[in-house]
Amino acid sequence: MPAQTVTPLSVLVTTVTFALFLSVTAHVAARNVLGDVDPRRALYVGPLPAVVSVVGGGFAVPAAVTVTVAFALDAVMFKWSYEQPPRVVAVMTVIHAAVTILVGVVLGGIALLLSTRPA
């Protein structure tokens, strides 16, 4: 199998896709904690953690550092976007992490199952 080429376009598409995914899961977390909220606010939450994750992966930054910085930025963006007290922001951030992991595992499992289907 040939080595994959990383292009600026592939990095951009990956970052934007991951930012949208994180924004959707942020909206789920915010709805879980706050009830009915404006979905546009979640669009502010996803991009910074996505950029940190893509850049951290691209430059081989240790996962502990990348995850910690992304998690902290997630909380900062929840605080800025939803204007809630620190305790509520902490709950939203933890729920966002849990929802993101759960949805990611489910989507990864579906992708794995689809990749093993007969041709």
Side-chain angles (χ1 to χ4, degrees):
M1 189 170 207
Q4 292 185 356
T5 306
V6 177
T7 64
L9 181 61
S10 67
V11 173
L12 178 65
V13 169
T14 300
T15 305
V16 169
T17 303
F18 191 42
L20 288 173
F21 173 72
L22 289 177
S23 294
V24 169
T25 57
H27 179 65
V28 171
R31 281 190 58 111
N32 188 19
V33 175
L34 302 175
D36 193 25
V37 292
D38 183 7
R40 291 175 292 186
R41 289 180 179 236
L43 292 173
Y44 299 119
V45 178
L48 284 180
V51 168
V52 167
S53 298
V54 171
V55 169
F59 288 106
V61 176
V65 174
T66 302
V67 170
T68 302
V69 171
F71 205 67
L73 280 174
D74 200 43
V76 167
M77 293 312 295
F78 267 123
K79 173 75 173 153
W80 180 76
S81 183
Y82 291 96
E83 300 172 350
Q84 295 296 316
R87 184 172 286 171
V88 174
V89 169
V91 171
M92 287 170 46
T93 305
V94 169
I95 291 175
H96 183 217
V99 168
T100 300
I101 291 167
L102 290 172
V103 172
V105 166
V106 168
L107 292 177
I110 290 170
L112 180 64
L113 284 173
L114 290 175
S115 72
T116 60
R117 73 180 191 275

